[in-house]
Amino acid sequence: MTRRAAVIGSPVAHSLSPVLHNAAFAALGLSGWTYTRIECEASGVADLVAGLDPSWAGLSVTMPNKRAALAVASSATPRAVQVGAANTLVPVADGWRADCTDVDEVLAALRAACGFTSGTRAVLLGAGGTATAALVALASVGVRSVSLVVRSVSRAAEAESCASRLGLALDLVAWDEADFAALAAEADVLVSTVPPTATEPIAAALAEAPNVLDVIYHPWPTPLAQAVEKRGRTLATGLDMLLHQAFGQAEQFTAQPAPREAMRAALREATDNLLPLPI
């Protein structure tokens, strides 16, 4: 039986999702299943989804298409609604169901790499789609206060709306005015969703947080990762996140438990054993 799945986004050529999902299909003995990349802007998501035939088992969705994916769905999980975006689309009887396994990835990456399972105060750098998923994830483990540090305050509206839906106390901090060392030292966890060029000048200050998640993994190591290692703090990475969000997607696409060891081994091989990638 031929079944197809893909990751959609722009740019998408760099995506490691095919490595993970094709490894999952092979480990599950799903011959005839394939997973590819599709270059697609947000404006094209609706037309692309409408044109898919019944052979499609699902779509992974990366930036900048996550909010468009939620909009095109006929139904959505509560966490996708809370985030305001979706990274997973699965066909259902009346259309497509949207989910956001990004929430899983944040929690699982922090738990596996850092041993972080709960806290009350967090610092979040950036306000994009990954940041809103992080807000939902952190709220689910007891975080009630978040300092959101952004380079452009005008772009924080969606993160502010997400925090409001969750009942989180959100302190919006302008990047140029932030005391990063003080914020990090007072936090239980710090999540950075911004490029390495932004964190490089302040990496040592950010490393004062006891648990750090840096969603960036290329090029590696990031300045923040190096600072965290030097400080002796614990670090979760974007590769940890990628692995864990793919587990949930694979299970929704195939209706079988994800072959975690096979997926982890494939990702480690594809990245030249760059990171330990704990499960």
Side-chain angles (χ1 to χ4, degrees):
M1 178 178 64
T2 299
R3 294 287 277 164
R4 294 187 286 176
V7 57
I8 63 172
S10 183
V12 78
H14 67 286
S15 175
L16 291 169
S17 290
V19 170
L20 289 162
H21 288 282
N22 284 318
F25 297 161
L28 292 171
L30 299 174
S31 59
W33 285 59
T34 60
Y35 187 104
T36 57
R37 303 177 184 90
I38 299 176
E39 185 78 17
C40 179
E41 296 282 354
S43 59
V45 169
D47 287 343
L48 185 150
V49 172
L52 299 180
D53 63 36
S55 69
W56 284 83
L59 294 172
S60 306
V61 184
T62 189
M63 297 305 290
N65 297 342
K66 293 183 179 183
R67 294 187 174 92
L70 180 62
V72 79
S74 56
S75 61
T77 61
R79 62 185 179 183
V81 173
Q82 287 180 319
V83 173
N87 77 329
T88 308
L89 288 172
V90 178
V92 292
D94 63 344
W96 293 79
R97 182 185 72 243
D99 190 19
C100 188
T101 66
D102 287 336
V103 175
D104 286 342
E105 74 181 49
V106 171
L107 290 179
L110 283 167
R111 181 174 58 249
C114 301
F116 176 81
T117 57
S118 65
T120 60
R121 183 169 179 78
V123 174
L124 179 58
L125 309 183
T130 303
T132 52
L135 287 174
V136 175
L138 294 170
S140 73
V141 292
V143 170
R144 291 293 172 262
S145 175
V146 178
S147 294
L148 179 68
V149 188
V150 292
R151 289 172 291 176
S152 175
V153 173
S154 63
R155 298 180 61 184
E158 290 171 346
E160 289 180 295
S161 295
C162 179
S164 179
R165 291 193 293 270
L166 296 167
L168 286 174
L170 190 72
D171 180 23
L172 188 60
V173 182
W175 192 277
D176 293 340
E177 299 173 5
D179 183 341
F180 290 102
L183 289 171
E186 294 170 0
D188 298 305
V189 60
L190 182 145
V191 179
S192 174
T193 69
V194 299
T197 52
T199 59
E200 184 171 10
I202 54 171
L206 299 179
E208 290 301 310
N211 302 286
V212 177
L213 168 58
D214 185 356
V215 308
I216 305 300
Y217 57 83
H218 183 75
W220 187 261
T222 65
L224 179 54
Q226 291 176 308
V228 170
E229 181 180 11
K230 182 177 180 180
R231 182 66 176 83
R233 302 300 199 184
T234 57
L235 176 74
T237 73
L239 281 183
D240 295 309
M241 291 174 57
L242 176 66
L243 181 67
H244 287 282
Q245 63 86 22
F247 293 157
Q249 289 184 336
E251 290 175 353
Q252 293 188 50
F253 296 162
T254 68
Q256 297 189 52
R260 295 187 172 211
E261 291 288 355
M263 295 170 74
R264 178 174 64 168
L267 186 57
R268 291 195 66 184
E269 181 178 355
T271 56
D272 296 322
N273 297 323
L274 185 63
L275 299 170
L277 296 169
I279 288 182

